[in-house]
């Protein structure tokens, strides 16, 4: 058995301190130490570009940075320059700042399919505001969400559909229904099952698979025919698919869309955008009943909006989306080649758009396996690669990609041994990693 070992004594101590004061030991469930092999959850000291250092002094090539939010790399100079400039001028006032005007103009120029925009701090606030607006505009109660997409909001209308639904009334859960991605017939059946009661269809326009030909346009038609609001959750697709999001790439315009993640390169900023007639219902120039759309004390902090403007400028001027795709294609090709060479090409599977790659770890029966994921993550960490996914940032260099592929090759060699033994347990060195959404700890 390969005995390569990574020891993280200071990270283990820091994790205990985190759990003593913070429920779950992290402020995002996806960052929890249960998502990593036992005793191998590094606590980060700092980052620069595509690299991070843990408190034990180990350096890693990092993927999925900031849960996909840091797409330009850590401490990006253009973003930091814009942020520092605003910090010296104050960050929050009793009235709107001129920066809010400039940020809105920049966003709407970048995403021309939207007519108005309102900024917030996190994606959940934006998606929930979109749902509330859809309900108000249609006078309907039910929300139809895509069952194949993992996360939409921390709020009850979504969390009630997950295994972590404790504390959410059944009456709330009953108002959320689901449709499968890519299946227009099933979606129309759902709309017919609840006639005149579905306020909106909300989904990510694309994820790990491209939308089937005509699918998004078909959804647009269904929403129009059944009188519901079409909402695109572009938290991930925004900027990574194109500067104008998936809606700009595929040419299908939703009624409302939500952006976040890459928008601030790690700074807290999200956006709800969409049709003027809908958005104005949350404003002061609408004759009907007002909608409490978004009202956040910190939603328009000047430094976060400055970061968003710098991100958008960088994407457009430096061709970042194309670079993300090129880096992802190089990584995917390398991983597939070494996995196949080690005889695990059907078990370590890379899929998704090149700018948003994930990997699946399959057992000897080619079923998803948390045990084999644990084995794989252990080997990556030991080789200096921190990769809950293979989502690239533009700060990666070809040498980083090549080093990652070398580490993956070593991991695949161990993976092959575990498959031959039909038991990965000897290579786990502890409990397996766990799903984020589960009923008990």
């Amino acid at each position: 058995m390969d005995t390569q070992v990574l020891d993280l004594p200071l990270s283990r101590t820091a994790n205990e301190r985190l759990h003593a004061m913070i429920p779950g030991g992290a402020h995002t469930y996806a960052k929890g130490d249960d998502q990593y092999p036992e005793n191998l959850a590094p606590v980060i000291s700092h980052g620069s570009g595509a690299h991070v250092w843990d408190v034990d002094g180990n350096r890693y090539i990092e993927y999925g940075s900031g849960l996909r939010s840091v797409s330009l790399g850590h401490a990006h100079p253009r973003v930091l320059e814009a942020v520092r400039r605003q910090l010296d001028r104050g960050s929050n006032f009793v009235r709107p700042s001129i920066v809010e005007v400039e940020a809105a103009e920049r966003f709407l120029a970048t995403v021309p399919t939207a007519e108005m925009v309102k900024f917030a701090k996190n994606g959940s606030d934006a998606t929930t505001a979109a749902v509330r607006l859809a309900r108000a505009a249609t006078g309907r109660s039910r929300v139809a969400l895509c069952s194949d997409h993992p996360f939409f909001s921390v709020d009850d209308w979504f969390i009630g559909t997950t295994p972590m639904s404790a504390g959410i009334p059944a009456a709330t859960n009953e108002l959320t229904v689901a449709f499968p991605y890519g299946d227009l017939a099933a979606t129309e059946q759902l709309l017919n099952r609840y006639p005149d009661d579905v306020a909106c269809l909300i989904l990510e326009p694309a994820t790990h698979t491209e939308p089937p030909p005509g699918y998004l346009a078909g959804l647009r038609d269904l929403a129009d025919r059944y009188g519901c609001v079409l909402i695109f959750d572009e938290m991930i697709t925004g900027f990574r698919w194109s500067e104008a999001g998936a809606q700009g790439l595929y040419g299908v315009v939703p009624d409302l869309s939500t952006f976040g993640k890459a928008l601030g390169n790690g700074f807290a900023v999200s956006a709800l955008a969409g049709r003027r007639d809908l958005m104005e219902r949350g404003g002061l120039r609408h004759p009907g009943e007002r909608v409490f759309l978004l009202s956040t004390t910190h939603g328009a902090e000047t430094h976060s909006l400055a970061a968003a403007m710098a991100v958008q400028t960088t994407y457009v001027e430096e061709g970042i989306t194309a670079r993300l795709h090129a880096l992802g294609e190089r990584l995917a090709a390398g991983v597939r080649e070494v996995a196949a060479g080690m005889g695990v090409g059907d078990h370590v599977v890379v899929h998704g758009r090149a700018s948003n790659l994930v990997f699946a770890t399959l057992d000897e029966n080619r079923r998803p396996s948390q045990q084999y994921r644990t084995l794989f993550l252990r080997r990556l960490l030991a080789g200096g690669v921190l990769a809950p996914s293979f989502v690239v940032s533009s700060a990666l260099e070809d040498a980083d990609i090549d080093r990652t592929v070398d580490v993956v090759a070593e991991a695949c060699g161990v993976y092959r041994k575990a498959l031959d033994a039909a038991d990965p347990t000897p290579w786990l060195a502890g409990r397996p990693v766990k799903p984020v959404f589960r009923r008990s700890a």
Side-chain angles (χ1 to χ4, degrees):
M1 186 186 307
D2 193 323
T3 57
Q4 187 177 0
V5 173
L6 175 67
D7 191 24
L8 303 177
L10 297 181
S11 289
R12 288 199 299 274
T13 299
N15 275 312
E16 287 304 310
R17 292 167 62 195
L18 285 164
H19 279 282
M21 296 177 287
I22 300 166
H27 286 91
T28 309
Y29 284 115
K31 294 184 182 183
D33 57 5
D34 60 333
Q35 301 302 295
Y36 291 83
E38 191 168 1
N39 294 323
L40 284 188
V43 174
I44 304 303
S45 165
H46 61 285
S48 177
H51 300 97
V52 295
W53 287 257
D54 66 23
V55 293
D56 292 280
N58 300 295
R59 187 180 83 156
Y60 305 89
I61 303 168
E62 188 192 47
Y63 292 88
S65 304
L67 301 182
R68 294 182 171 93
S69 68
V70 182
S71 63
L72 300 178
H74 299 292
H76 189 275
R78 292 185 73 165
V79 176
L80 290 187
E81 180 185 1
V83 168
R84 289 191 181 106
R85 189 163 54 245
Q86 286 303 325
L87 287 176
D88 288 337
R89 297 167 58 84
S91 63
N92 207 335
F93 312 103
V94 75
R95 279 280 294 147
S97 162
I98 190 64
V99 176
E100 296 176 49
V101 179
E102 296 165 350
E105 289 174 341
R106 178 68 54 81
F107 182 91
L108 294 173
T110 306
V111 186
T113 42
E115 295 175 323
M116 297 189 84
V117 63
K118 196 158 191 181
F119 296 109
K121 301 307 287 182
N122 63 70
S124 293
D125 285 348
T127 54
T128 292
V131 166
R132 184 186 303 118
L133 190 54
R135 283 172 160 165
T138 61
R140 301 173 178 181
S141 300
R142 293 190 190 275
V143 175
L145 57 80
C146 183
S147 58
D148 296 308
H149 298 161
F151 189 80
F152 288 102
S153 174
V154 300
D155 293 307
D156 288 3
W157 64 269
F158 171 69
I159 293 297
T161 69
T162 75
M164 295 176 71
S165 60
I168 300 172
T172 298
N173 297 344
E174 291 167 3
L175 293 177
T176 300
V177 295
F179 61 92
Y181 188 77
D183 191 335
L184 291 173
T187 305
E188 185 162 17
Q189 288 174 4
L190 180 71
L191 293 170
N192 283 321
R193 190 178 312 141
Y194 300 101
D196 301 321
D197 197 30
V198 175
C200 60
L201 302 172
I202 181 168
L203 72 157
E204 296 181 61
T207 53
H208 306 316
T209 58
E210 288 292 291
Y215 173 63
L216 295 179
L219 275 183
R220 174 71 276 172
D221 179 64
L222 283 178
D224 291 339
R225 285 196 287 120
Y226 285 86
C228 49
V229 175
L230 181 61
I231 304 171
F232 282 176
D233 178 341
E234 296 241 35
M235 293 296 160
I236 293 173
T237 54
F239 302 98
R240 285 191 180 275
W241 263 241
S242 82
E243 291 87 353
Q247 58 194 279
L249 179 65
Y250 300 124
V252 176
V253 181
D255 300 302
L256 299 171
S257 56
T258 59
F259 288 76
K261 299 287 189 184
L263 180 58
N265 199 53
F267 285 92
V269 59
S270 63
L272 169 64
R275 282 170 31 199
R276 179 175 300 277
D277 62 308
L278 287 174
M279 296 287 287
E280 277 285 23
R281 287 174 175 264
L284 298 176
R285 297 183 177 182
H286 173 67
E289 185 178 7
R290 294 179 68 196
V291 176
F292 192 92
L293 188 58
L294 277 170
S295 183
T296 55
T297 298
H298 303 291
E301 285 176 326
T302 58
H303 58 277
S304 290
L305 295 183
M309 287 190 284
V311 167
Q312 290 166 87
T313 300
T314 302
Y315 261 80
V316 172
E317 292 184 357
E318 298 184 16
I320 296 297
T321 302
R323 175 167 174 77
L324 293 174
H325 282 89
L327 288 166
E329 287 166 1
R330 182 185 182 101
L331 177 61
V335 169
R336 288 169 182 148
E337 181 180 359
V338 296
M342 291 291 177
V344 297
D346 292 331
H347 302 273
V348 176
V349 181
V350 180
H351 56 100
R353 194 169 184 84
S355 60
N356 190 54
L357 294 171
V358 297
F359 57 82
T361 50
L362 309 182
D363 65 15
E364 52 273 8
N365 297 311
R366 299 182 186 176
R367 295 174 302 196
S369 168
Q370 293 295 98
Q371 287 187 306
Y372 278 95
R373 179 175 174 84
T374 307
L375 177 156
F376 192 62
L377 288 175
R378 286 190 71 87
R379 307 315 305 171
L380 295 185
L381 287 163
V385 176
L386 180 57
S389 69
F390 281 148
V391 176
V392 297
S393 75
S394 66
L396 288 159
E397 302 289 346
D398 287 349
D400 295 317
I401 302 292
D402 294 344
R403 171 59 186 164
T404 301
V405 171
D406 289 342
V407 173
V408 169
E410 295 173 6
C412 287
V414 178
Y415 206 115
R416 183 67 259 171
K417 294 177 185 177
L419 286 171
D420 291 340
D423 180 14
T425 306
W427 288 273
L428 301 188
R431 53 112 184 106
V433 299
K434 299 180 180 180
V436 171
F437 288 113
R438 58 187 191 275
R439 194 165 296 278
S440 60

